[in-house]
Amino acid sequence: MAYALMMLGSGVQLPFLPLWLAAKGIDAPGIAFIVAGMMAIRMVSAPLFGWVADHFHKRQQVIMGCAVMAFVTYSGLGFVEGFWPIALMALAASFFFAPVFPLSESYSVDASAALGLDYGRMRLWASLSFLTGSLGSGALLTKLDALDTVWLMAGSMGLSVLSTFLLPAEPEALAKPKPKAASSMGAVRFLFATSFPLFLLAAGLAQASHGMMYSFSSMHWQSLGFSSLVIGLMWAVAVMAEVSLLAFSNRVIERFGPGTIFLAGITGGAVRWLLLSFVESLPVLLVLQTLHAASFAMTHLGTMHMIRLMVPERLRNRAQALHAALSGGILMSTSIWASGPLYHHFGAKTYLAMMGISLVALLIAVPLLRVSPRVRAAADT
């Protein structure tokens, strides 16, 4: 139930925030700056609150507090005018919302392993939540003004707050503080000086290749003459493809292993971006949107399972936070920031740069899965 409400706000924000910013008179480089900044600030807030959750063993309380502050700051966007006030309020909103989902993911992965549940079948409700937000807001915005988007985001974030209070209590085995089997320096060495950072880099690049999609695809589709409802539909198709995979995630992982799924996802992303560089036909675009099951869902599923298998339990909140900071923060913000001027000059051909990012991720991942004993062992489990 918590997952069913948690991503409503993101479902509104991701497709339609750029359109709202454009309606406020902000140009493409300015939109790229704000959206990229909202991603970049995650590199600070996600690890910070991940450390707080680990140190004080208060994961659920941290999730709830951050969600409340995110709702307050997203609501504040409706009361500010001008580039810098909007940018600063948007950064504050992202700062507080950034830890909510990765910490919830950490809890879900741990709990599913501890209780024998299917993580993917829980996670798909977050995808359906995103779908409801994107498709519902797309339909509403055919009747409302683009400037009303901010109130749809704020209201959806209010439901996200409610979702955090619906999180079940952690299983007893997870709620108890764990004995420290190694020093803090041991934790630092594991998180920063083993093959694990290279794995995070490959995973982060694979997700960062979505930068053009997440920032300017809606504007591109609008320029092709598609309505807000059709744009919401295209996002909905992507999410439904993602959900279809997640519904059978345990079977997929057991059949192929997380490493194979991880590589297949990155490869699917490269193919998706290549084709999106040239396609303008709505039926073909809808078909290509189903590749979100590969570029996002397979990559994410492989990443989550490999983090669970590689990382000691006492470090998983921090590992998830580092993944969020690198993937959704540093790398994604760079990708989105670069997409601004690239889209301004080259339009849809910006997807070719996203394909290049996917290929770099593959160049890191393929040898890593072959050479690193730790990564190879997790990949084949």
Side-chain angles (χ1 to χ4, degrees), residues 41-175:
I41 204 164
R42 296 178 183 182
M43 65 181 284
V44 177
S45 63
L48 171 63
F49 288 107
W51 176 84
V52 171
D54 274 341
H55 186 75
F56 295 102
H57 307 288
K58 299 291 184 182
R59 177 161 51 188
Q60 286 182 285
Q61 290 86 342
V62 170
I63 293 171
M64 292 174 186
C66 287
V68 170
M69 290 303 301
F71 168 63
V72 171
T73 45
Y74 269 103
S75 299
L77 277 173
F79 299 97
V80 294
E81 296 289 340
F83 177 80
W84 284 111
I86 289 173
L88 293 174
M89 188 65 73
L91 290 175
S94 186
F95 179 85
F96 288 112
F97 187 70
V100 173
F101 199 67
L103 289 179
S104 300
E105 287 275 82
S106 175
Y107 168 68
S108 298
V109 172
D110 286 348
S112 62
L115 301 176
L117 302 175
D118 189 328
Y119 160 74
R121 292 192 178 184
M122 292 190 290
R123 175 60 173 76
L124 68 82
W125 288 101
S127 301
L128 289 173
S129 175
F130 180 94
L131 168 64
T132 302
S134 60
L135 193 56
S137 56
L140 287 170
L141 287 171
T142 62
K143 304 296 183 182
L144 301 175
D145 190 275
L147 291 172
D148 294 322
T149 304
V150 68
W151 303 117
L152 295 178
M153 286 192 295
S156 299
M157 285 295 171
L159 292 176
S160 297
V161 172
L162 175 61
S163 76
T164 67
F165 287 87
L166 296 176
L167 287 170
E170 298 200 26
E172 186 177 350
L174 297 180

Side-chain angles (χ1 to χ4, degrees), residues 42-43 46-48 50 102 187-188 190-192 196-197 200 307 315-330:
R42 296 178 183 182
M43 65 181 284
L48 171 63
V188 171
F190 177 85
L191 294 172
F192 295 100
F196 183 66
L200 288 187
I307 287 176
L315 300 179
R316 283 185 197 150
N317 286 330
R318 275 169 281 185
Q320 287 283 5
L322 282 173
H323 169 59
L326 183 63
S327 174
I330 300 170

Side-chain angles (χ1 to χ4, degrees), residues 214-261:
Y214 290 168
S215 55
F216 292 102
S217 62
S218 293
M219 292 181 65
H220 172 61
W221 293 332
Q222 188 179 59
S223 73
L224 296 177
F226 300 132
S227 68
S228 295
L229 181 60
V230 171
I231 291 170
L233 176 63
M234 283 195 274
W235 283 93
V237 169
V239 176
M240 287 306 299
E242 172 189 331
V243 167
S244 298
L245 175 74
L246 292 175
F248 302 98
S249 65
N250 271 9
R251 295 183 190 178
V252 171
I253 290 294
E254 289 170 4
R255 174 67 178 83
F256 298 103
T260 299
I261 295 301

Side-chain angles (χ1 to χ4, degrees), residues 178-344:
K178 303 297 184 298
K180 294 186 178 181
S183 67
S184 296
M185 184 56 69
V188 171
R189 279 199 299 268
F190 177 85
L191 294 172
F192 295 100
T194 64
S195 57
F196 183 66
L198 283 176
F199 170 75
L200 288 187
L201 178 60
L205 286 169
Q207 295 298 352
S209 72
H210 292 75
M212 166 63 182
M213 171 66 64
Y214 290 168
S215 55
F216 292 102
S217 62
S218 293
M219 292 181 65
H220 172 61
W221 293 332
Q222 188 179 59
S223 73
L224 296 177
F226 300 132
S227 68
S228 295
L229 181 60
V230 171
I231 291 170
L233 176 63
M234 283 195 274
W235 283 93
V237 169
V239 176
M240 287 306 299
E242 172 189 331
V243 167
S244 298
L245 175 74
L246 292 175
F248 302 98
S249 65
N250 271 9
R251 295 183 190 178
V252 171
I253 290 294
E254 289 170 4
R255 174 67 178 83
F256 298 103
T260 299
I261 295 301
F262 182 66
L263 293 178
I266 300 174
T267 304
V271 173
R272 183 186 187 188
W273 312 136
L274 172 64
L275 296 176
L276 281 175
S277 299
F278 302 99
V279 171
E280 295 185 354
S281 164
L282 178 59
V284 181
L285 284 170
L286 290 171
V287 172
L288 290 180
Q289 282 297 83
T290 65
L291 284 175
H292 197 67
S295 66
F296 172 76
M298 285 186 178
T299 305
H300 178 77
L301 192 60
T303 301
M304 292 299 102
H305 279 276
M306 290 184 69
I307 287 176
R308 176 179 62 83
L309 293 166
M310 279 192 286
V311 180
E313 187 176 332
R314 67 188 181 85
L315 300 179
R316 283 185 197 150
N317 286 330
R318 275 169 281 185
Q320 287 283 5
L322 282 173
H323 169 59
L326 183 63
S327 174
I330 300 170
L331 296 175
M332 183 67 81
S333 64
T334 301
S335 174
I336 290 174
W337 176 82
S339 294
L342 286 173
Y343 179 72
H344 180 72

Side-chain angles (χ1 to χ4, degrees), residues 20-43:
W20 178 75
L21 292 171
K24 298 290 282 188
I26 299 173
D27 60 13
I31 292 170
F33 177 86
I34 291 174
V35 177
M38 293 176 74
M39 296 291 182
I41 204 164
R42 296 178 183 182
M43 65 181 284

